[in-house]
Amino acid sequence: MLSVRNLEVDYGQAHILSNLALEVLSGEVVVLIGRNGAGKSTTMKAIMGLVPARAGEIRFQGHKVDHLRPYAVARLGIGYVPEDRRIFTDLSVRENLDVGRRTPSGAGALWTPDRVFALFPNLAEMQDRAGGMLSGGEQQMLAIARTLMGNPTLLLLDEPSEGLAPLIVEQMAEAILTLKRQGLSVLLSEQNLHFAHLVADRAYVIEKGRIRYSGTMAELAADKEVRDAYLSL
Amino acid sequence: MTVLSASGLVKSYGGVKAVRGVDLRVDAGELLALIGPNGAGKSTCFNMLMGQIAPDAGRVELLGADITGQAPRRIWRQGVGRTFQITATFASMLVRENVQTALMSRHRRLGNLFLSATKLYAEGALALLERVGMADQAERPCSVLAYGDLKRVELAMALANDPKLLLMDEPTAGMAPTERQAMMALVAKLARESRIAVLFTEHDMDAVFTHADRIVVLNRGRVIAEGEPADVRADELVQRVYLGGGTMFGHV
Amino acid sequence: MDFSSIVVQFLNGLAGASSLFLVAAGLSLIFGVTRVVNFAHGSFYMLGLFLAYSLAGRFGGTPTGFWISLLVSALVVGVVGALVEIVILRRTYRSPELFQLLATFAVVLVIKDVALAIWGADSLLGRRAPGLSGSFQFFGKVIPAYDLVLIAAGPVVLGLLWLIVRRTRFGRLVRAATQDREMVGALGVNEAWLFTGVFFLGSFLAGLGGAIVLPREPANLSLDIAVIADAFVVVVVGGMGSLPGAYLAALLIAEVKALCIAIGDVSMFGYTVSFSRLTLVVEFVVMAVVLVVRPYGLLGRPSATPRAQVAIMAASRPPRGRWILLVIAVLAVAPLLIDRYSIVLLNDVLVFALFAASLHFFMGTGGMISFGHAAYFGIGAYAAALLLKRAGLQMEVALTLAPVAGGIAALFFGWFCVRLSGVYLAMLTLAFAQIAWSIAYQWDALTGGSNGMVGVWPAAWLADKAAFYWLTLGVTVVGVLWLWRMASSPFGYGLRAGRDSPLRAEALGIDVRRQQWFTFGVVGAVAAAAGALYAFSKGSISPDVMGIQRSVDALVMVLLGGVHSLVGPLVGAAVLTWLQDEIIRDTEYWRGLLGLAILALVLLLPQGLAGARDLWRRKPA
């Protein structure tokens, strides 16, 4: 579904991503694990076209999406939920959803506000509340809901559990598994291993802009060497 | 010895009561964790303690002196260091210069328009960086540091004023699991050595349950539980509103 | 003055507020979504008025023809705005924000010269509205019927805009993009067209604001700058991003001005104070009071204020000592080798290098932007001239005291400015500069008004051009070296700390606002020293020394040379001064040419000359 090859991103003189390659298959939940600054967010932004790639190829459902502008990438069916959520704080919950609304050309099951509220019941109770008045957990739900309104087939979730209470993180994991059951593919970035183990099928470990390890979650759990080397420095 | 005591803190935003009567106390050398669901009022409490927001009601005392509603920079002068959830350092400067600036501020030297400051308090800065294990990176620009190292620099800056109290907003956010443990171990060591009171918020329960001496749980602007980690962890109400089924900590 | 004339002036103020509101609303919309401070907004207003003059003059014989002419004028201006966005600004969104500002200022220059070529330099009063050319009696006073149209226009447009922004998808996208345009793009909205749409709407509003005052105000070439300064004040007073706030502020300012005109000349204690000539000063007082009471404007909210977006600049190290000495030595012997004309030109270069270096310190180390830096330059020049001619002091004393005057004035302005941040702070500096300019322009008795002052010559021992040049060189070298030193002084560290992370700086006991305030004083004094040198080198001054053009010149110098380098502003000053000297000698349309040159620079070298050097360096790698 998504394949990234040889991706290189620079910021000034510094190499942020080097020779990065990854793949997401249809219906799969894949996690990028690494600490802050390892390059997780940059990878997502590069896929969306939000940061320019110096080299590399990004393909999505056969289309070449590198060098496309962010809106064009979104219209092809990649939904992006950024790390800091970036809710429109002055707009109400409903208005936030409306900004994200977009009908794809080959329409499958369409997301509506009602369907979104069924996924995140908390939001249903506060439809007219301004985004800025929501708590961190509610904002994270709204950020995902807003992106779903664009009817994506692949969801990029940048650190959905960051700064959230354990209880909310559990709800978030539930939601992601629900989306997976409905056929959505997900690429998420995480540093919370508990969370990653709950939702993901496969993992890439990223460190200093390079993929250091890839494998299924079960393989990762069994491979103490990798975990010691990259995840617990 | 009680370093910080807050009583009856109240704060509303446009009719919404964010904090409704919170009491807190931190002793010298103690690590107190403030936890609770998002929107429970942790940040508001924190910001009232360090002067970012003035409380509607209530009183904050530092070593018995009233500091309620004072500006952050005044509260710092009285011995309160702080670190931020999203690290805030001076990106255009070297690591050493970051700490030097903190020391210059402490010694009230920032009004000088003529002297070259490149060597001012350089030794003091190195000594502080030594304490947080960053001395070997002193000459690197802050902008190229790894995230965990930035957090350490921030800690060194917070220590520049010999604080009696450290306020740390999610000190381990954004770090790898073992890095988190190392960071908290460092904070605990500093607190014991220098008898610093530490108040921190955190969502990483592994860090909280391992290192906090005491935990206060906030929900909807009120304290719903307080006590030693084991007790708080077993508290049914805390599990229901915050901890959940326990899948997010402990077993990996 | 009686009750009826107050009422009449009140209605007059209501009528004036509408046009001002339209312009300010457009400016605010454009800035909100695209983050472009559109200096050309006043030019769009002027263009709207000129177009309406021509169209209504031709087709405005009937009521239908007249109103369609006004509407078409505004639409044409909207299209011009959209074209400016598509052709010029769209290429600059990846550049530092100040480059977009420069680009819009270049558009100001070009539009001014185009208008000069088409409509000439004289004031043109347009046709009256057919059917509304009469007037009616009100408490025994005459009110033009057309004023009623103007009075209604403001609230009507406010209502329509409010509906668009609150009730349509376009409006929701505009509000969302105002907060986070990148995210709107990532959600699948083609933000390029959103930007163009907003630019069209904003420019249309400015054009409409100009067109509807056709029967009331004469069209002339100085409106662009006057209107943009007013619009900045309205936006800051009303609160950024608030449409009702903009209307309220426009109303407040227009009413206060109208009231001043109603009061007219008042005799007190044997002095006659002409309130009708003090309108700009009164506008300032209103703004000052509002900002002290409500720092975010009448209806503004702190959360609606985007963060200051001055790029963080590394403190570059000054060049090596031996290079500095070499440059000084070359400059010192230069007068012995070149002709008189070149000495004067080189003197100008040094003066502007000092001026630009002070702005560079303000921006690079202080992390603030100034759109009105010429205020301090001009105050230095006027202080020197006044102390010499009016106070009868010696030239040496006048030159020494001028920086003190500039520093004090800058501290006064800065006291208000540091309450704001980012672009709002910059807008306020521009407003203050305009006030300083208008005082110099209007206070005939003291400053000589628009004629300025002549006979501002240096002492006899400096009468020789070369001798004065060496004085300039000495002052410039000392000033620049001090600014460089200051960047690495404890004060400089504290200032950079406040710039890099205000939150952290405050948490370390640093009073960020006070540091910034002192910075105003310091750079004000240095700029004033440059201004005083300028006055004595020319022998005469006029209000132009503190006009917007000069403030923008300083910005061009800093950006041209590259903000990252300490040497940048010096190089920029040299290049721009030389370039202007070359262009002005050749053509009447030098403004337009300069504008085109700036546009070329912005589009071809988006990182400044220093950036071009980096590009060249990187290529072999």
Side-chain angles (χ1 to χ4, degrees):
Chain A
M1 172 163 238
L2 175 78
S3 92
V4 177
R5 272 175 227 286
N6 187 31
L7 185 63
E8 308 259 338
V9 173
D10 294 351
Y11 182 77
Q13 305 290 330
H15 301 294
I16 305 295
L17 299 181
S18 317
N19 194 18
L20 187 132
L22 59 82
E23 218 162 321
V24 181
L25 304 177
S26 188
E28 212 181 14
V29 177
V30 175
V31 62
L32 265 175
I33 301 175
R35 59 176 137 184
N36 270 28
K40 305 187 300 292
S41 292
T42 307
T43 305
M44 301 231 167
K45 286 182 178 169
I47 294 171
M48 278 312 287
L50 290 167
V51 296
R54 186 166 57 76
E57 190 190 59
I58 304 169
R59 281 184 172 277
F60 176 67
Q61 292 181 327
H63 302 276
K64 216 165 123 50
V65 301
D66 42 290
H67 301 297
L68 284 186
R69 301 261 305 283
Y71 80 92
V73 177
R75 286 181 183 184
L76 282 173
I78 303 185
Y80 170 62
V81 182
E83 181 181 10
D84 33 5
R85 295 154 202 165
R86 296 166 76 167
I87 289 300
F88 304 119
T89 49
D90 288 344
L91 275 63
S92 70
V93 167
R94 259 191 184 276
E95 287 177 321
N96 266 283
L97 295 179
D98 183 63
V99 172
R101 178 167 55 88
R102 180 156 298 285
T103 317
S105 40
L110 281 182
W111 283 93
T112 59
D114 287 342
R115 212 180 137 201
V116 161
F117 292 142
L119 184 65
F120 298 115
N122 298 25
L123 292 181
E125 297 159 24
M126 45 189 73
Q127 298 183 24
D128 295 316
R129 195 176 292 183
M133 299 296 287
L134 304 184
S135 74
E138 290 153 0
Q139 289 196 351
Q140 182 64 56
M141 294 174 193
L142 178 56
I144 296 175
R146 181 179 64 179
T147 301
L148 288 176
M149 289 295 288
N151 295 295
T153 43
L154 169 68
L155 207 52
L156 306 181
L157 285 177
D158 201 355
E159 304 227 14
S161 79
E162 190 188 308
L164 298 185
L167 180 71
I168 304 288
V169 178
E170 286 181 350
Q171 292 176 8
M172 207 57 77
E174 256 330 294
I176 291 172
L177 291 174
T178 306
L179 292 174
K180 181 188 163 160
R181 276 195 298 274
Q182 296 178 355
L184 220 65
S185 315
V186 180
L187 174 64
L188 73 134
S189 77
E190 259 311 324
Q191 22 201 344
N192 183 337
L193 287 180
H194 306 295
F195 183 76
H197 276 287
L198 266 186
V199 299
D201 304 313
R202 278 194 307 123
Y204 291 94
V205 177
I206 183 169
E207 170 84 12
K208 291 182 180 158
R210 291 170 187 274
I211 297 289
R212 303 290 173 156
Y213 175 87
S214 80
T216 63
M217 290 313 289
E219 286 167 5
L220 182 65
D223 197 335
K224 188 171 181 314
E225 203 175 308
V226 171
R227 286 173 44 209
D228 286 350
Y230 297 119
L231 303 181
S232 46
L233 216 125
Chain B
M1 186 184 56
T2 303
V3 175
L4 175 83
S5 87
S7 50
L9 288 180
V10 173
K11 182 75 197 178
S12 311
Y13 292 105
V16 182
K17 288 198 170 169
V19 174
R20 20 183 137 195
V22 167
D23 300 332
L24 286 171
R25 179 182 53 78
V26 198
D27 292 339
E30 182 189 35
L31 268 69
L32 175 69
L34 185 63
I35 64 173
N38 306 99
K42 297 190 303 292
S43 304
T44 310
C45 266
F46 228 68
N47 286 332
M48 285 192 282
L49 295 178
M50 61 86 60
Q52 207 80 34
I53 311 175
D56 296 339
R59 188 176 161 90
V60 185
E61 284 179 11
L62 184 71
L63 293 169
D66 185 7
I67 58 166
T68 319
Q70 290 187 7
R73 57 173 186 277
R74 283 181 192 278
I75 291 181
W76 179 76
R77 289 235 174 262
Q78 296 173 51
V80 180
R82 104 161 270 193
T83 65
F84 295 91
Q85 182 181 350
I86 299 163
T87 48
T89 53
F90 306 134
S92 72
M93 300 184 196
L94 303 178
V95 169
R96 165 175 54 78
E97 291 174 321
N98 267 267
V99 187
Q100 276 178 283
T101 307
L103 287 167
M104 283 185 239
S105 173
R106 176 188 177 177
H107 296 284
R108 297 183 181 277
R109 295 292 293 274
L110 289 171
N112 192 315
L113 304 172
F114 302 96
L115 185 81
S116 170
T118 40
K119 301 240 158 50
L120 208 58
Y121 304 116
E123 283 177 19
L126 283 178
L128 282 169
L129 287 169
E130 189 72 53
R131 288 181 74 187
V132 299
M134 284 292 295
D136 52 332
Q137 305 207 49
E139 299 305 315
R140 299 184 73 196
C142 253
S143 51
V144 304
L145 289 194
Y147 191 76
D149 291 342
L150 273 181
K151 292 239 164 197
R152 285 168 187 266
V153 175
E154 231 194 351
L155 188 56
M157 291 162 86
L159 291 173
N161 201 28
D162 280 342
K164 318 285 182 294
L165 170 70
L166 267 181
L167 295 175
M168 308 184 80
D169 201 357
E170 298 203 22
T172 75
M175 293 172 137
T178 319
E179 230 177 10
R180 291 171 191 242
Q181 296 295 336
M183 180 72 183
M184 288 313 296
L186 171 65
V187 172
K189 176 168 151 277
L190 291 169
R192 312 267 187 269
E193 275 174 9
S194 313
R195 302 291 296 155
I196 303 173
V198 178
L199 173 61
F200 69 105
T201 65
E202 189 56 70
H203 279 305
D204 183 60
M205 289 304 114
D206 295 330
V208 169
F209 290 131
T210 318
H211 292 284
D213 297 314
R214 216 151 45 83
I215 299 174
V216 170
V217 188
L218 233 52
N219 189 38
R220 296 176 192 270
R222 283 185 213 283
V223 175
I224 57 163
E226 181 170 359
E228 309 225 331
D231 300 336
V232 168
R233 193 169 177 167
D235 188 301
E236 201 181 311
L237 181 60
V238 176
Q239 288 180 1
R240 199 169 68 235
V241 304
Y242 182 66
L243 291 176
T247 53
M248 287 303 150
F249 49 92
H251 59 83
V252 173
Chain C
M1 190 179 69
D2 51 24
F3 176 71
S4 63
S5 61
I6 289 186
V7 171
V8 168
Q9 285 303 334
F10 176 76
L11 292 178
N12 202 13
L14 273 179
S18 290
S19 166
L20 197 52
F21 162 67
L22 293 188
V23 180
L27 184 73
S28 195
L29 269 178
I30 290 178
F31 175 75
V33 174
T34 66
R35 289 285 174 272
V36 173
V37 177
N38 184 20
F39 256 108
H41 217 64
S43 307
F44 290 158
Y45 168 96
M46 180 178 82
L47 204 56
L49 184 48
F50 270 123
L51 283 169
Y53 170 84
S54 293
L55 288 176
R58 188 123 178 235
F59 308 105
T62 63
T64 320
F66 180 83
W67 294 111
I68 289 180
S69 296
L70 297 199
L71 194 63
V72 168
S73 306
L75 285 170
V76 170
V77 174
V79 170
V80 170
L83 285 175
V84 166
E85 199 275 335
I86 293 171
V87 176
I88 300 166
L89 293 171
R90 205 174 266 193
R91 295 164 207 276
T92 67
Y93 290 135
R94 285 186 184 264
S95 308
E97 293 189 334
L98 286 171
F99 276 79
Q100 297 150 22
L101 189 87
L102 279 190
T104 65
F105 193 79
V107 172
V108 171
L109 296 175
V110 172
I111 290 182
K112 207 192 227 350
D113 268 1
V114 168
L116 173 67
I118 299 178
W119 288 284
D122 297 326
S123 280
L124 305 171
L125 186 57
R127 173 196 286 273
R128 295 192 162 195
L132 286 170
S133 58
S135 56
F136 60 93
Q137 297 278 316
F138 192 77
F139 286 105
K141 300 272 172 173
V142 178
I143 311 264
Y146 190 77
D147 276 12
L148 295 182
V149 175
L150 287 181
I151 291 172
V156 167
V157 173
L158 173 62
L160 286 175
L161 281 179
W162 194 86
L163 281 178
I164 291 177
V165 166
R166 291 280 149 185
R167 293 276 180 266
T168 67
R169 179 166 160 89
F170 175 75
R172 278 191 279 279
L173 293 181
V174 164
R175 279 156 60 213
T178 298
Q179 187 186 343
D180 190 341
R181 51 187 172 166
E182 192 183 68
M183 193 62 226
V184 171
L187 287 171
V189 177
N190 186 350
E191 73 268 39
W193 289 109
L194 187 63
F195 281 22
T196 308
V198 165
F199 238 91
F200 172 80
L201 180 61
S203 310
F204 169 80
L205 287 172
L208 191 62
I212 60 170
V213 297
L214 176 69
R216 204 174 125 104
E217 309 272 353
N220 70 64
L221 291 173
S222 65
L223 282 174
D224 50 357
I225 299 297
V227 167
I228 192 69
D230 269 351
F232 280 4
V233 172
V234 168
V235 166
V236 169
V237 168
M240 202 68 200
S242 166
L243 290 174
Y247 183 68
L248 218 57
L251 195 61
L252 181 66
I253 284 164
E255 287 300 350
V256 168
K257 280 185 169 183
L259 192 69
C260 281
I261 293 167
I263 293 170
D265 291 2
V266 174
S267 289
M268 284 184 295
F269 315 114
Y271 289 95
T272 302
V273 179
S274 170
F275 273 91
S276 52
R277 307 193 70 172
L278 285 177
T279 48
L280 263 174
V281 179
V282 173
E283 187 174 331
F284 149 70
V285 175
V286 170
M287 181 174 71
V289 170
V290 169
L291 287 179
V292 169
V293 181
R294 294 189 63 90
Y296 299 101
L298 291 174
L299 297 184
R301 283 172 302 150
S303 63
T305 313
R307 271 168 293 167
Q309 299 205 333
V310 184
I312 289 184
M313 299 144 194
S316 318
R317 308 253 167 252
R320 285 166 193 274
R322 55 167 182 261
W323 285 110
I324 299 177
L325 284 176
L326 181 69
V327 171
I328 293 174
V330 168
L331 286 171
V333 298
L336 306 173
L337 309 171
I338 55 180
D339 63 5
R340 216 176 109 91
Y341 185 86
S342 304
I343 295 178
V344 172
L345 185 61
L346 205 54
N347 193 72
D348 281 357
V349 167
L350 289 176
V351 165
F352 289 122
L354 183 59
F355 178 42
S358 73
L359 178 62
H360 181 261
F361 183 83
F362 188 81
M363 289 167 57
T365 307
M368 297 175 281
I369 316 172
S370 174
F371 294 166
H373 209 59
Y376 319 121
F377 185 86
I379 286 167
Y382 269 94
L386 290 170
L387 290 169
L388 184 81
K389 304 293 287 185
R390 303 277 191 257
L393 294 178
Q394 284 178 307
M395 174 262 173
E396 294 86 345
V397 180
L399 181 62
T400 314
L401 289 181
V404 177
I408 291 173
L411 284 175
F412 178 66
F413 294 172
W415 192 81
F416 295 99
C417 293
V418 296
R419 277 146 211 283
L420 303 181
S421 62
V423 166
Y424 313 116
L425 183 153
M427 286 185 177
L428 203 51
T429 59
L430 177 90
F432 276 112
Q434 273 311 94
I435 283 144
W437 175 85
S438 71
I439 291 173
Y441 192 82
Q442 292 181 334
W443 199 346
D444 285 329
L446 186 71
T447 63
S450 57
N451 296 323
M453 298 170 72
V454 292
V456 190
W457 292 113
W461 62 280
L462 292 166
D464 179 53
K465 290 292 174 205
F468 192 85
Y469 168 85
W470 279 314
L471 173 73
T472 304
L473 179 62
V475 175
T476 300
V477 166
V478 170
V480 169
L481 289 182
W482 181 45
L483 288 170
W484 287 0
R485 162 49 67 91
M486 207 163 18
S488 61
S489 72
F491 177 74
Y493 272 91
L495 195 58
R496 280 155 58 199
R499 174 199 72 188
D500 286 2
S501 173
L503 207 59
R504 162 56 63 200
E506 286 280 337
L508 289 178
I510 299 173
D511 188 339
V512 174
R513 197 180 271 183
R514 197 172 59 181
Q515 301 252 13
Q516 293 179 329
W517 186 46
F518 283 172
T519 307
F520 266 87
V522 167
V523 300
V526 175
L533 286 171
Y534 181 79
F536 286 121
S537 75
K538 299 293 169 199
S540 67
I541 52 170
S542 73
D544 283 352
V545 291
M546 54 175 113
I548 287 187
Q549 174 69 54
R550 192 164 311 275
S551 293
V552 173
D553 278 355
L555 280 172
V556 175
M557 289 168 191
V558 170
L559 296 177
L560 180 66
V563 260
H564 296 275
S565 148
L566 283 175
V567 186
L570 312 183
V571 175
V575 172
L576 188 72
T577 308
W578 170 78
L579 191 68
Q580 284 181 332
D581 183 70
E582 288 289 315
I583 299 179
I584 291 176
R585 264 189 295 178
D586 291 339
T587 166
E588 175 192 3
Y589 294 108
W590 61 273
R591 282 193 197 85
L593 275 179
L594 185 64
L596 292 176
I598 296 176
L599 280 181
L601 168 86
V602 168
L603 296 179
L604 298 177
L605 291 181
Q607 303 298 329
L609 292 177
R613 189 195 57 194
D614 286 353
L615 226 85
W616 177 76
R617 273 190 188 166
R618 213 179 300 149
K619 258 187 189 145

